[in-house]
Structure formats: structure tokens, C-alpha cells
Amino acid sequence: DQQRALGEKIAELRVQASVIERAPFGITYADLAMPDQPMIYANQAFVDLTGYPADEAVGRNCRYLQGPDTDSASVALIREAIRNRQAAEVELLNYRKDGTPFWNRLQIFPVFGQDGTLLHYVGTQTDVTRLKEAEAERQRLAGELLEIQRLESLGVTIAGLAHDLNTPIGVAITAASQLSDTVKTATQRLAQNDMESAQVAALVDDCALATRLIGNNLAKAAKLVLSFKETTADATRTEWRRIDLRHFLDTLLVSVSPIMNRARCDVRVTCREGLSLVTEPGSLAQALSNLLINATIHAFDGQEDRRIAIDVQEG
């Protein structure tokens, strides 16, 4: 019976050893009781992954896979886990025998004996280089998409700004032309002594009205340009600074007002005067602009009452 049980146990161990040896990911054992905690086993997948034959891998600490660009913080995390006899998982830039780098998802965990003695540390290694490259590509494309959206938003804003500038500038040009004609006519008639006092008074009133129209409409145009200038200047800066939140929101709304007006959206802001905020204004302006523009595109299909409320609460 003992012999049969021993045979069955040996057969079971052979199956387990075969499974470990043929596993599709690297498996290593390290002996923490030996000097420098060397690996005492490496399966075939580890050999294939690293290019180091088993006889070159076994007997050495696995740090030989590290290189100049291996993250020291991740290495420190592994050491801390081993020191505390805990499991850990990290992604490390490792190097094959031929020097080519690869991203290694390393998982380590301790194996204890029945008496609580730490026997070995088991490590599993999986090549996640393609996953890391795919993630980097995804982030690159996401950045490009964000830039495209920013440029599209800027283009729409510029087009709307140009449209809104046409009205005050057009009124100012018309008033200036009328003022020029009036002054020319008055000059001619005064030279001919052909004006009565009532006509002079009416002429002065016309000139004053034209002057007010020119001044008011040029002020509107200047306000639009200034708001757009402040908003675009914030968009190109990345530093954090303290801003007057109400002024910031008012300026932002003026810069996107052409889009809001064309979409027939009424935007109202509730924000206490004098409230300040430390932030990165460019990112905040971009986020709020995107929210407002997306709302005009998606939030009001088939609706006549189009209202957007920005309510600032102090936390």
C-alpha cells in the first residue's frame, strides 16, 4: 500500500512538473535561503522568452534581466514584497540575452511549508510588449483626437466670432459713413451760409448719435475680441494659477457666445463674485467649452426651450 501510494504520488508530481514545464508563460523558483537568492528552476517558456538557456539562468538572481531603462521603483516594490514575504505584480522593462527589450508582467508569490517556513519564491513572467505598445498607440490616438476636437472647437468659435463681429463692425462702418456724409454736407452748407440754428442743432444731434453708435458697436467688437484672446491665451498655457472664477466664466461664455446664439441656447451662470480658484485655466476652459458645444449638438434635439445652467457651489 505504501509503495502504491508512493508511486501514485510520484506520478502526480511528474504530471505537475510536466504542466509547469509546458506552461505557456515563464515560471521560475528562487531560493531565498541561498546567498543572493538565485533561481533554482526555470521552465521552457522562460528560456524562450528571455533567450537564456536553463543552465545560464539557474543559479543566478533574476536581476540580470534588468537594464538601463528598467524602472527602479518597480524593482524596489519587488524587493519590498520579498522582504515582507508577500506577493506582488509589476510590469518591468526587461532585456533578453541578445539585448532586445521586452515588457515583462512579473508576478511573484511565496511558497510556505506546513510549519510556516518560507521555502521558495515562485515567479511567473508574461511578455506584454504588444499590449504596452497597443496602449501607447491608443494614448497617442486619443491625444490626436483630443487635439483635432480642440482645433475643430477653435475653428467653430473663430467662425462664430467672425459672424458676430460682422454686426457691430457693420453698424460702426455704416454710422461712420453717415457721419462722414453729414459732416461733408454741413461743411458745404456752412461755407455757403445756408444753415439756420435749428438745422445746426439737428446736425449736431445726428453727429452725436452716429458717434455713439460707432463707439458702442466698436466696444462690443472689442469685448468679443478680448474675450476670445483671453480664452485662447489660457488654452495655450499649462501652468496652474489662481483665477477669478466669475470673470473666467463670463469671458469663456463671451468667447463661445457665437455658437450658443446660433444654437439658440441660453446659458446662465450662478457664481459668487470674488470666488477664486487655483487651477490650470486652459484645461478647464477646454473642458467647459466641449461640454457646452456638445450640449448644443446632442442635448436639445426637438426642443424649443434650450437652457444651460452653470451653478458653482463652494465645497
Side-chain angles (χ1 to χ4, degrees):
D1 288 344
Q2 288 182 345
Q3 272 192 330
R4 186 175 68 245
L6 181 60
E8 290 174 351
K9 189 62 176 178
I10 292 173
E12 180 184 345
L13 291 174
R14 284 176 176 169
V15 170
Q16 292 177 357
S18 177
V19 169
I20 293 171
E21 182 62 24
R22 297 180 183 182
F25 49 85
I27 298 177
T28 56
Y29 299 164
D31 190 342
L32 270 65
M34 295 178 65
D36 203 31
Q37 303 172 346
M39 291 188 295
I40 59 174
Y41 171 78
N43 71 348
Q44 186 59 42
F46 178 87
V47 171
D48 296 338
L49 174 62
T50 65
Y52 287 93
D55 60 350
E56 293 185 27
V58 171
R60 303 168 64 185
N61 187 290
C62 63
R63 73 172 67 91
Y64 67 84
L65 295 175
Q66 298 170 21
D69 293 325
T70 302
D71 180 35
S72 59
S74 297
V75 174
L77 190 151
I78 295 171
R79 291 174 179 168
E80 181 69 15
I82 293 174
R83 188 160 44 247
N84 295 327
R85 298 163 45 129
Q86 296 173 338
E89 178 177 344
V90 296
E91 290 183 354
L92 283 172
L93 188 65
N94 281 164
Y95 294 82
R96 297 184 176 90
K97 184 177 180 180
D98 62 6
T100 58
F102 69 98
W103 280 99
N104 181 12
R105 179 175 292 156
L106 173 63
Q107 297 173 299
I108 60 170
F109 54 91
V111 177
F112 297 97
Q114 292 182 350
D115 60 354
T117 302
L118 178 61
L119 301 177
H120 304 292
Y121 246 95
V122 176
T124 65
Q125 299 83 17
T126 305
D127 187 350
V128 294
T129 304
R130 289 186 178 180
L131 289 176
K132 297 285 284 189
E133 291 173 347
E135 175 60 20
E137 179 67 8
R138 186 195 69 78
Q139 292 181 357
R140 184 186 69 79
L141 292 175
E144 288 184 358
L145 179 60
L146 186 62
E147 180 65 11
I148 290 171
Q149 290 174 337
R150 187 187 70 81
L151 292 175
E152 286 179 348
S153 173
L154 183 60
V156 171
T157 302
I158 291 174
L161 177 67
H163 178 272
D164 274 24
L165 282 173
N166 279 336
T167 300
I169 290 176
V171 171
I173 290 172
T174 301
S177 176
Q178 182 64 36
L179 179 60
S180 177
D181 291 343
T182 301
V183 171
K184 182 179 179 181
T185 300
T187 301
Q188 292 173 348
R189 294 185 65 181
L190 286 171
Q192 297 170 1
N193 240 356
D194 187 25
M195 291 191 72
E196 298 178 359
S197 60
Q199 292 175 320
V200 172
L203 179 64
V204 171
D205 288 342
D206 288 344
C207 290
L209 175 60
T211 303
R212 285 197 301 273
L213 284 172
I214 293 170
N216 290 341
N217 282 277
L218 289 180
K220 289 179 183 178
K223 183 179 180 182
L224 279 170
V225 172
L226 180 61
S227 296
F228 179 73
K229 181 181 177 181
E230 288 186 10
T231 302
T232 52
D234 279 338
T236 60
R237 297 203 303 249
T238 58
E239 76 273 10
W240 284 68
R241 59 189 175 88
R242 184 174 294 277
I243 61 171
D244 183 301
L245 194 53
R246 182 57 193 252
H247 174 73
F248 172 84
L249 292 173
D250 288 342
T251 301
L252 176 68
L253 291 182
V254 171
S255 70
V256 299
S257 62
I259 302 172
M260 299 298 107
N261 292 338
R262 285 207 308 280
R264 294 177 287 110
C265 286
D266 178 27
V267 184
R268 298 182 182 179
V269 174
T270 302
C271 179
R272 178 176 65 78
E273 294 287 350
L275 182 62
S276 65
L277 175 69
V278 176
T279 184
E280 198 273 280
S283 297
L284 180 59
Q286 184 65 45
L288 289 175
S289 296
N290 287 343
L291 283 173
L292 290 169
I293 293 170
N294 287 337
T296 65
I297 297 172
H298 303 293
F300 300 111
D301 287 343
Q303 296 184 34
E304 291 297 326
D305 186 13
R306 301 183 170 200
R307 283 186 258 185
I308 300 174
I310 301 176
D311 187 6
V312 180
Q313 299 289 336
E314 299 179 59

